């Protein structure tokens, strides 16, 4: 499947004016689709299952999305946009340590609050991104290039220890998304500790200490 040029696969989204009800129904469909795709995968999921969970008739759902592929792409795009928002917020004029801390914290919060979206996205990537490939090499790449340039400037100004900006961003993704994608493994190891109120706060403090201890200026980085 090829995404539309503006990336919007919803029929209502391609009209000039969307009503509040249209927007609410699209979100209802995408929420239901996330549950169904997370449970059955893309191949096992059906439009009938999504419509039933969304509390809509199949013809009504098909008014908003023509095909299962379109619904799947919309779910993945919504997840990607949700993840890109914290990276977009990285302020070039801000304090590097504070900006990177905020990015780590927000990414970890997304893994905590929306783990199914993260796992579905990871599944798509591990399958070679057959649906999302063009978007990854477009919007995602452009934003990462932009923020990598910011981090590179910070290191050039001596405000961060020398570090490859791309691998730093990859490391943030890997460590924060681990808490969603490998939740079963974490629960097997930590048991009931996962349910404690301080579980994600402990994870935040640990990641902040490790990341900033490695990239803050004045740190001994010799090996």
């Amino acid at each position: 499947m090829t995404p539309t040029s503006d990336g919007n696969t919803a029929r209502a989204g391609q009209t000039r004016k969307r009503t509040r009800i249209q927007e609410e129904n699209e979100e209802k469909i995408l929420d239901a689709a996330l549950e169904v795709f997370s449970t059955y995968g893309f191949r096992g999921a059906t439009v009938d299952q999504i419509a039933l969970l969304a509390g809509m008739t199949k013809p009504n759902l098909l008014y908003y999305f023509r095909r299962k592929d379109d619904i799947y792409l919309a779910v993945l795009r919504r997840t990607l946009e949700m993840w890109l928002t914290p990276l977009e917020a990285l302020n070039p004029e801000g304090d590097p340590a504070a900006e990177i801390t905020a990015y780590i914290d927000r990414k970890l919060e997304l893994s905590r609050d929306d783990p199914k979206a993260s796992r579905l996205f990871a599944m798509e990537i591990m399958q070679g991104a057959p649906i999302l490939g063009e978007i990854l090499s477009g919007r995602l790449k452009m934003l990462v290039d932009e923020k990598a340039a910011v981090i590179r400037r910070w290191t050039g100004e001596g405000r961060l220890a020398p570090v490859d900006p791309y691998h730093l961003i990859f490391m943030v993704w890997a460590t924060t998304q681990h808490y969603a994608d490998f939740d079963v493994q974490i629960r097997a190891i930590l048991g009931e500790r996962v349910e404690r109120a301080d579980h994600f706060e402990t994870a935040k403090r640990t990641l902040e200490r490790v990341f900033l201890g490695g990239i803050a200026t004045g740190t001994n980085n010799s090996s």
Side-chain angles (χ1 to χ4, degrees):
M1 150 177 191
T2 302
T4 58
S5 59
D6 64 356
N8 196 328
T9 56
R11 288 185 178 182
Q14 294 172 20
T15 61
R16 290 187 176 183
K17 185 177 181 180
R18 299 166 68 203
T19 67
R20 177 180 57 81
I21 294 177
Q22 285 175 331
E23 292 176 349
E24 290 176 354
N25 282 343
E26 285 174 18
E27 285 302 307
K28 188 189 301 184
I29 292 168
L30 296 184
D31 288 342
L34 174 59
E35 291 289 334
V36 173
F37 286 131
S38 297
T39 303
Y40 300 102
F42 175 74
R43 295 184 185 281
T46 67
V47 173
D48 294 277
Q49 291 170 323
I50 297 169
L52 180 63
L53 190 58
M56 304 171 68
T57 65
K58 183 175 180 180
N60 192 13
L61 182 150
L62 293 175
Y63 165 78
Y64 290 92
F65 296 93
R66 295 182 181 88
R67 302 174 298 170
K68 181 175 75 170
D69 299 52
D70 295 334
I71 306 173
Y72 183 66
L73 175 59
V75 171
L76 293 174
R77 282 190 58 87
R78 185 176 68 167
T79 299
L80 181 59
E81 290 302 316
M82 177 176 63
W83 283 352
L84 292 183
T85 298
L87 186 57
E88 288 178 324
L90 194 76
N91 183 1
E93 306 309 318
D95 173 70
E99 294 298 322
I100 291 173
T101 297
Y103 182 50
I104 293 169
D105 291 354
R106 184 62 183 127
K107 282 287 284 135
L108 192 59
E109 288 166 3
L110 289 173
S111 288
R112 177 196 65 195
D113 297 339
D114 215 342
K116 290 182 179 179
S118 179
R119 289 194 286 270
L120 183 64
F121 192 90
M123 190 185 308
E124 165 73 7
I125 299 301
M126 287 188 291
Q127 292 173 349
I131 302 296
L132 209 54
E134 291 183 27
I135 298 171
L136 295 180
S137 60
R139 168 141 165 69
L140 175 64
K141 183 182 185 322
M142 287 189 292
L143 180 60
V144 172
D145 285 344
E146 174 189 329
K147 299 305 179 179
V150 171
I151 296 171
R152 186 177 291 111
R153 175 169 63 79
W154 285 342
T155 62
E157 294 170 349
R159 302 171 69 190
L160 288 179
V163 62
D164 183 282
Y166 290 99
H167 290 291
L168 175 61
I169 293 172
F170 295 159
M171 288 171 63
V172 173
W173 292 352
T175 52
T176 55
Q177 289 166 218
H178 177 89
Y179 289 89
D181 301 343
F182 289 84
D183 176 69
V184 172
Q185 178 174 273
I186 291 173
R187 289 177 181 276
I189 296 169
L190 297 183
E192 62 182 19
R193 290 169 56 190
V194 173
E195 304 301 333
R196 285 168 32 179
D198 65 346
H199 171 58
F200 273 92
E201 286 304 315
T202 300
K204 276 187 184 181
R205 291 194 298 271
T206 303
L207 293 183
E208 290 170 3
R209 179 172 298 178
V210 171
F211 273 101
L212 297 180
I215 63 178
T217 56
T219 301
N220 182 2
N221 294 298
S222 60
S223 57

